Amino acid sequence: MPSQLRIYVPPHPLIKHWLGIARDKNTPSTLFKTAMVELGRWLTYEAIREWLPTIDVDIETPLTNSSATFIDPNTTIATIPILRAGLTLWEGCQTLLPLATTYHLGLVRNEETLEASCYLNKLPIKFKDDTRILILDPMLATGGSIMFAMNEIVKKGGNPDFIRIISVVAAPPALQKLSAHYPSLNIYTAMIDEQVNDSGYIVPGLGDAGDRSFGTN
Ligand code: PRP
Ligand code: URA
């Protein structure tokens, strides 16, 4: 059966709350960063539900024998923040997955052409076949950056069936590109917005996620 891109917008009050804070243009940079960290945490929490393999083990409590469920220690997890703005989501993500390996990918859009180019690529030479990969990129706008990232990750052996994307705001152009090229992906986002304007910004969006996260402009 052909697969179809799955986009989850978890109906969680904390996710709605922090998205509202991030969208508000009056939110100062330090609080904006906090919002992104929290969104990274709660979207990761949702994304790893029923995704991380577990094992059942017999243990002894102080009182008796019991069974317990643990995350399978043989599972390989990779987190890939797309710099810069993805670093803030990653900060929240890594509180839940402290043992995951982190591979940084630095991408920046040309403000005129909106084309993404890469200035840092710390991906491994080859991912193991069953590595579970979480990509963290808050804005899926024209889709140039996330397609660049996906193509690089797949070139290194990443399996789209095992990849989940965490974003804050996703827009139709990016979702259409991902759906056409990587239909087995799962995306976890705080919101799907209506459009991308002529300057490449998501509307209503939240502005420039990198600049607002790090207080630059
Ligand atoms: C932003 C954002 C995404 C990209 C999305 O990065 O963090 O990676 O734009 O846009 P696209 O879908 O049109 O490619 P930006 O290039 O502004 O870099 P920054 O995070 O360093 O600010
Ligand atoms: N990158 C951003 O930071 N914001 C947008 O709205 C689109 C791309």
Side-chain angles (χ1 to χ4, degrees):
M1 199 168 66
S3 52
Q4 195 179 358
L5 190 73
R6 271 166 292 200
I7 308 163
Y8 297 87
V9 183
H12 197 296
L14 284 169
I15 293 175
K16 290 183 207 287
H17 175 86
W18 288 114
L19 175 65
I21 301 279
R23 279 206 200 273
D24 187 340
K25 72 172 187 179
N26 294 315
T27 297
S29 178
T30 44
L31 184 58
F32 181 87
K33 180 169 180 259
T34 300
M36 302 298 269
V37 172
E38 291 304 320
L39 286 162
R41 189 195 318 276
W42 299 115
L43 287 164
T44 299
Y45 175 83
E46 295 285 347
I48 63 180
R49 191 193 293 271
E50 288 153 18
W51 189 55
L52 290 183
T54 55
I55 50 167
D56 293 328
V57 175
D58 293 328
I59 57 156
E60 286 178 38
T61 76
L63 302 178
T64 185
N65 295 332
S66 177
S67 67
T69 301
F70 295 101
I71 293 170
D72 186 341
N74 296 315
T75 306
T76 309
I77 306 169
T79 53
I80 304 181
I82 309 300
L83 278 47
R84 289 174 302 163
L87 280 174
T88 55
L89 292 182
W90 175 85
E91 212 174 304
C93 165
Q94 67 86 40
T95 61
L96 305 184
L97 298 172
L99 298 183
T101 306
T102 302
Y103 302 101
H104 296 85
L105 198 53
L107 302 181
V108 66
R109 291 194 311 178
N110 178 309
E111 286 183 16
E112 310 273 295
T113 64
L114 301 181
E115 205 173 309
S117 62
C118 182
Y119 56 86
L120 179 77
N121 185 338
K122 299 299 281 184
L123 295 180
I125 292 169
K126 176 107 178 63
F127 286 105
K128 275 173 52 189
D129 288 346
D130 59 354
T131 302
R132 285 165 165 74
I133 298 173
L134 275 184
I135 305 175
L136 302 134
D137 187 352
M139 311 304 283
L140 307 181
T142 66
S145 304
I146 194 65
M147 285 299 296
F148 188 103
M150 278 299 304
N151 293 342
E152 285 300 306
I153 292 164
V154 168
K155 259 193 245 167
K156 301 291 172 85
N159 178 350
D161 294 358
F162 287 159
I163 298 176
R164 299 200 162 189
I165 297 174
I166 293 188
S167 83
V168 173
V169 186
L175 296 175
Q176 280 153 13
K177 284 181 190 146
L178 289 170
S179 172
H181 295 273
Y182 298 109
S184 64
L185 277 175
N186 287 265
I187 299 174
Y188 286 75
T189 186
M191 191 56 75
I192 301 173
D193 270 1
E194 287 151 31
Q195 55 176 306
V196 174
N197 70 14
D198 291 343
S199 308
Y201 281 87
I202 299 176
V203 181
L206 46 78
D208 190 310
D211 281 346
R212 293 192 70 197
S213 295
F214 297 107
T216 52
N217 49 42

